[in-house]
Amino acid sequence: MRSLCVLTLCTFAATVRAFYIPSLSPQTYAPGARVPLQVNRVFSEHVPLPFAYYDLPFVCTPQEIYWPWLNIGEVLRGDRIASSDYELTMEQNTTCQVLCTKTLSRAANEEAGRLIAQDYMAEWLVDKLPSATAYLRPLDKERVKSYDPGFRIGDYDASQKRAYLNNHVTLHILYETHGTGRRIVGFEAYPRSIDNSSGKCPDLDSPETEPLLVGTDQETRVTYSYSVRWINDPSVHWAHRWDRYLSTSAQVHWYAIFNSAIIILLLSGVVAVILMRMLNRDLAIFARDVGSEEELRDDIEETSGWKLLHGDVFRAPGYGGLLAPLLGTTVQVMYTAIATVVLGTLGILSPSYRGGLLTTGIVMFMLMGSAAGYYSGHLYRTWGGKNWFKNALMTAILVPLLLVAIELVLNAFLWYRSSSAAMPFSTLVLLFVLWTFIELPLTMLGAWFGFRRQPYSEPMRTNAIPRPIPPQPKYLNWPISILLAGSLPFSVIFIEMFYVLKSIWQDAFYYEYGFTVIIGVILAVTVCETTVIMVWLLLNSGHHKWWWRSFVYGASSSLYFFIYSLVFYYTRLRAGMPDTAGFIPALTFVLHSLLFTIVYALCTGSMGFFAAYFFIRRIYSMVKLS
């Protein structure tokens, strides 16, 4: 049965791996129609600090700039889309056109050299398609065209430590014919560095042109120009125009799934041994007839120690007033992640919906406040809590306040560096309004219903005097047990985690939601089984304070998650770029990684807690029935 489920999930992933909704409706242009080109930002795969394009002191700035409305996800990812003076007319090629001539100050000259040395790339938009650098990649003994988003603002000669600014760009606009109209299916940019300050177009065919050197301590006069070429490409249809941006190999993903499947099968075998052999052996003592009460007592004492904790195992946890709100919020985060991934799997969160993933996640988090309040209120009452309003308020404030505090600290440094990743004050106000008028009331409502529900009926009574906890084996000490519990769940996700981090930090498009569903399901099963094993070992050693431990065991792989993020930073982002070191870029990566780690820990911690809770209720109810 388990193999059939895994096979079904793999088949499902094969059908949805590359599925997405390209857009709500295509934009059709008539021949000779004006096609707007928008500029957005510059970003680097090595420095996690994007900047708005027009914030750069060495680019051409129009006299009038139109700033379109951006959703909250676009703002949070650092987008700053704006109009430009580039003139694009459908099917009308432009050999060369001067954009502007600009004199760079010493500071602007040095800034251009610094950004080029850090491998910054520009992102422009035409018909919602980002500018791309085209390359050929091997596929089934052939070479097919693929796209990397963005194009370099300059070239850097590391041997001589010289930076050359790209001041001319050739734009290839690919389109398909649809009736009498034209639909854009590709946007390629080919930049060049040409030493030109004449205010006229350079000789693009001359082999004697010199590159434009920047990064020097002097003023420089620069003429910016561009060329446009329209290409009718019948091989690409509008519905599949994003495929070149999303091209990737599925072989590594299948390897990750195979690796995860092996781990989960091994874990399932261990759990089966515990449940079918050890537990059945212990429970058989209660099921059989014995000669006397003294004989039964002797049999119990000779067996494993988990049954001896029946009077303490359901004792209310210490700091239950803190654990209940925390668990409520973890359910909220987990439901948010599930809903967002499901929408992505259905193709709704397509790459054309810029900022859609973040926007959907925030909206879902606000709406799932009712689930947080409900679970928190129900657990709070089960553990003997009386003040439901205080519990609801803590549920709505505890984790969001922690996340906001970390983000505000980071935001202050991003403001200082004038990065577009910094949240504007208006966005902060919007988030506060959403929390006040959506999440907070929903959390209160859910907590009220959860508190009114009858508490869980535990299968065992609690003794008045707690049972003393005997000395524990070394492998159950906090540090060792956490490392043991987190190793297997992390081994399930570390391959897929590479692609997720690459999508976040190297501006790659992630759309492998089918694989994400499979890995997520395997991760959930692995976390639950690992936590059940660790908690069973804990009870068997006579330790009845398992509530907090079950949550920590479930979230323990987040430690490996955070360490792997740091390894990714130093081996991928900083690799070959020693000049990118700096306090603010490193702080940006570390604090953002900490935020992702907290969210991951909340999801997996809740999985582990509820798995252990239902497991313990089940085994002790069997003892009671016997």
Side-chain angles (χ1 to χ4, degrees), residues 544-558:
H544 56 81
K545 296 182 179 180
W546 61 272
W547 303 94
W548 280 99
R549 287 215 176 204
S550 64
F551 180 83
V552 173
Y553 287 153
S556 57
S557 58
S558 61

Side-chain angles (χ1 to χ4, degrees), residues 20-42:
Y20 60 91
I21 299 174
S23 185
L24 295 178
S25 60
Q27 177 70 41
T28 303
Y29 298 92
R34 174 73 182 272
V35 178
L37 185 150
Q38 298 172 310
V39 299
N40 185 14
R41 59 174 183 157
V42 294

Side-chain angles (χ1 to χ4, degrees), residues 143-161:
R143 298 179 68 84
V144 297
K145 180 183 287 189
S146 297
Y147 289 159
D148 276 339
F151 64 92
R152 284 182 171 81
I153 63 174
D155 297 313
Y156 185 69
D157 187 346
S159 60
Q160 299 183 3
K161 294 185 177 181

Side-chain angles (χ1 to χ4, degrees), residues 139-267:
L139 179 65
D140 298 333
K141 299 181 180 181
E142 296 181 358
R143 298 179 68 84
V144 297
K145 180 183 287 189
S146 297
Y147 289 159
D148 276 339
F151 64 92
R152 284 182 171 81
I153 63 174
D155 297 313
Y156 185 69
D157 187 346
S159 60
Q160 299 183 3
K161 294 185 177 181
R162 291 186 175 183
Y164 301 99
L165 178 64
N166 290 329
N167 57 329
H168 179 86
V169 61
T170 299
L171 305 177
H172 288 185
I173 314 297
L174 283 61
Y175 66 93
E176 68 165 347
T177 302
H178 185 78
T180 59
R182 308 290 185 265
R183 292 179 177 176
I184 295 176
V185 296
F187 178 25
E188 302 171 3
Y190 299 90
R192 288 182 60 182
S193 178
I194 301 175
D195 189 1
N196 179 25
S197 59
S198 63
K200 301 178 181 179
C201 281
D203 185 359
L204 300 177
D205 298 326
S206 174
E208 300 179 357
T209 56
E210 295 291 332
L212 177 61
L213 179 66
V214 293
T216 59
D217 186 19
Q218 62 183 9
E219 292 186 353
T220 303
R221 183 178 171 86
V222 181
T223 296
Y224 287 89
S225 57
Y226 65 96
S227 305
V228 182
R229 181 184 176 191
W230 294 88
I231 303 174
N232 188 356
D233 189 354
S235 64
V236 180
H237 298 291
W238 184 88
H240 298 281
R241 63 179 187 164
W242 283 94
D243 289 359
R244 289 177 173 174
Y245 293 90
L246 307 177
S247 56
T248 184
S249 174
Q251 182 177 359
V252 178
H253 296 280
W254 288 118
Y255 172 75
I257 292 175
F258 178 77
N259 170 73
S260 304
I262 295 298
I263 293 174
I264 195 174
L265 289 176
L266 293 176
L267 266 181

